[in-house]
Structures are given as structure tokens and as C-alpha cells.
Amino acid sequence: MRPKPSIPSEIEDYRDETWCREGARAISSVIAAERFIEQVGFAASMTDSRRPGPSLYIAVCGRRDAVLPRHLQKDRETSLTWTLKDQLLRRGKVYYAKLARGKATFIAPRLLPYFNAIWGVRPSEEKRRLSTHARAVQKVLRHEWEMASIDLRKESGVSDRTVFTRALDELQAAMIVIPSEAVYLPKFTYLWTLAVSRFPDDLMQRVDRDVALREIARAFLGSAGQTIPGELARVAGLSRPEAGRGNRALVAEGYATMSAPGFYELASEVAVNSPLAASLGR
């Protein structure tokens, strides 16, 4: 097996700042969580140090080696992350859904046109690309706009819980449906709504696929400082060829440099003058 590419210590230090992996930058409020997501562009919800990329859970922990405990219910940091996730849903200022490969992801509104260009399903393609069950759930939400899980199952006719969950996951991955609120009484459920109802301007934009790949790569490289082979693909859910296209577009415009195949880093002048660097006091 090939040895796993290592990340230089100075890049890890840079990520400690940008991904809030140090105690002084640990996140404890919903305002700080929104600011974090806006700065990095997109972040996972509950991934830990075993997966690459920015994560709300790691930012709450404030350390780069954070690992999810076996007993989540009793862990303070896991509980706070879950609470912040619920607050973020309710406020609706950032996008949240299960996207590529079923990973729960937060997206800053400024990046929604680009993610939608890659994973979104247009109305003209829905009949061909969505399953019968997914279209049944979508039809109810187009009429009601917002509905709890149990009511949505009943109204859509998708009574089997597993099939219903699969249909919701399909609609989330297509950037059509999002959870809008978590309700705990009288029992836990999500309220679901159409994504376009919360982010109409961002999701109605039409963006070329190559532009979308470049801007997703820009957001990740800006917060990561450097990317190694396969890293962007894993974090963003892209294929490796498409991740490479996005990174090479950044090299072509002078935003990044390529030191070896698959290794991209911020151009030195970009690293110094970037808005993210300014927000960190660099």
C-alpha cells in the first residue's frame, strides 16, 4: 500500500485556526456556529478527526484530535453540537441537509448555487431521476410547504418507515427538501420543507458545472490552506476527476499552485490577502 500523504505541520496549524480546532476558537453559540459555516463555506455536522474537512462537532470540541464517544447521549460536546444543529435549523440562515453519500452538511448560502449545480435536480428532470416514492413525498410538500414526518408519511402514502426515510434522503441529496425544525414534544420529529422556500434566490441561479467545481474547490482550499490527493473529493462528495478539475481551475487563475500531482496549496499572495486570513487577524 502507498503511504498516506502527510499534511505539513504549518498547514495543520492553519487549519486549527480556520476550522476552529483550538480551544480559544471553540464554538459554543449559534451565532458563532453561523459565522464558522460562513467562513469555511461548507462543513460536516458530526464527523470527527477520523474524516477530513471542517466539522461543527470538532469546532465545538476545539481540538484537532476530537473523536466521537461511544455513548453519545452522555457526552457534553456531542449534546452541544446537536443543540446548535437544532438552533441552526430553526434560524434558517445556513443550509442543512444530507447531501452526497448521505453526509449531513452545512452550506453557507453564498455556495448554494454551486452545490445545486452539481447535485440539484431540475424540475424537468424529476420524473426521470427521482423515484416514485420521492416524487410522492415531494408532491405533498409542494402543496403543504411544511409538514412533520409522521403526517408526511401518511399524506404521501409512503407508509413503510424505511422506504419513507430513503425517499427523504433522496430528496435531500437532490437539494429539493430540507429539515426546517426539530420538534421534541410530544415526541421527536423533524418538520420538512422545500429547500427553495427558504433559499429561493440562491437555488434559482443557474451556474455552469465547471464554475461550480472551481468555487467549491476555492472554498475548501481557502479554509484548508492545502489539499492532498483525494481530500477534496472525500470532503465535498465529488469524484476525483471533478475535484481535480476544480483545483486545476484555481491554478489557472493564480489562486493556487500545484507542487505535485494532487497537491494544491494557496498561492502565497492569496494566503496573505484572503478575507479569511483577515478575519483571523493574519
Side-chain angles (χ1 to χ4, degrees):
M1 293 180 62
R2 291 184 178 180
K4 182 180 178 180
S6 61
I7 298 171
S9 59
E10 62 270 20
I11 296 298
E12 291 285 17
D13 291 341
Y14 178 86
R15 293 179 178 191
D16 286 346
E17 292 189 71
T18 57
W19 294 353
C20 298
R21 302 188 312 186
E22 54 188 20
R25 298 186 183 276
I27 288 173
S28 60
S29 72
V30 67
I31 300 300
E34 288 172 347
R35 188 182 305 118
F36 164 69
I37 294 163
E38 179 59 37
Q39 286 181 343
V40 298
F42 61 98
S45 175
M46 292 292 290
T47 58
D48 60 21
S49 59
R50 293 169 291 186
R51 295 187 64 88
S55 161
L56 180 61
Y57 170 72
I58 293 177
V60 166
C61 294
R63 57 185 186 276
R64 71 169 74 163
D65 61 351
V67 175
L68 284 163
R70 293 181 63 183
H71 303 290
L72 301 182
Q73 297 86 346
K74 299 180 180 179
D75 180 66
R76 183 191 64 81
E77 293 165 335
T78 304
S79 177
L80 176 55
T81 305
W82 196 263
T83 298
L84 290 176
K85 182 267 295 181
D86 289 348
Q87 292 174 349
L88 289 166
L89 287 187
R90 191 175 304 114
R91 286 167 61 85
K93 295 182 181 296
V94 297
Y95 190 97
Y96 173 85
K98 287 184 179 180
L99 296 182
R101 302 170 187 168
K103 186 169 72 173
T105 305
F106 293 102
I107 306 174
R110 62 187 171 85
L111 288 182
L112 281 178
Y114 310 120
F115 274 82
N116 193 41
I118 302 298
W119 290 284
V121 174
R122 296 183 180 184
S124 60
E125 302 173 327
E126 289 172 358
K127 190 172 183 179
R128 176 175 59 86
R129 294 179 57 183
L130 296 179
S131 68
T132 301
H133 294 121
R135 295 202 309 274
V137 172
Q138 179 193 27
K139 182 178 179 181
V140 174
L141 282 176
R142 279 185 169 164
H143 183 262
E144 300 293 340
W145 285 97
E146 187 174 70
M147 187 173 282
S149 298
I150 189 169
D151 297 322
L152 188 53
R153 280 174 56 197
K154 180 179 179 180
E155 292 297 321
S156 66
V158 186
S159 56
D160 184 274
R161 186 185 299 271
T162 301
V163 175
F164 175 73
T165 299
R166 192 179 301 127
L168 278 176
D169 288 350
E170 184 181 349
L171 290 169
Q172 289 181 82
M175 299 193 73
I176 294 174
V177 168
I178 57 173
S180 60
E181 187 170 351
V183 178
Y184 288 85
L185 294 174
K187 62 180 181 179
F188 176 77
T189 187
Y190 278 114
L191 299 183
W192 299 91
T193 191
L194 296 175
V196 73
S197 70
R198 277 205 167 179
F199 302 93
D201 295 337
D202 303 300
L203 293 175
M204 293 297 288
Q205 293 183 41
R206 291 288 175 256
V207 177
D208 180 79
R209 192 176 187 88
D210 283 338
V211 172
L213 291 172
R214 183 191 68 205
E215 295 309 312
I216 291 172
R218 188 193 307 277
F220 179 69
L221 190 59
S223 72
Q226 182 190 76
T227 181
I228 59 178
E231 190 176 29
L232 173 60
R234 286 189 68 194
V235 173
L238 298 167
S239 68
R240 282 204 174 198
E242 288 200 315
R245 279 165 56 192
N247 281 320
R248 288 193 297 273
L250 298 180
V251 174
E253 70 170 48
Y255 185 85
T257 59
M258 183 175 72
S259 56
F263 290 84
Y264 301 89
E265 59 186 71
L266 286 175
S268 56
E269 62 274 17
V270 172
V272 172
N273 297 316
S274 70
L276 184 54
S279 70
L280 295 171
R282 286 174 169 268

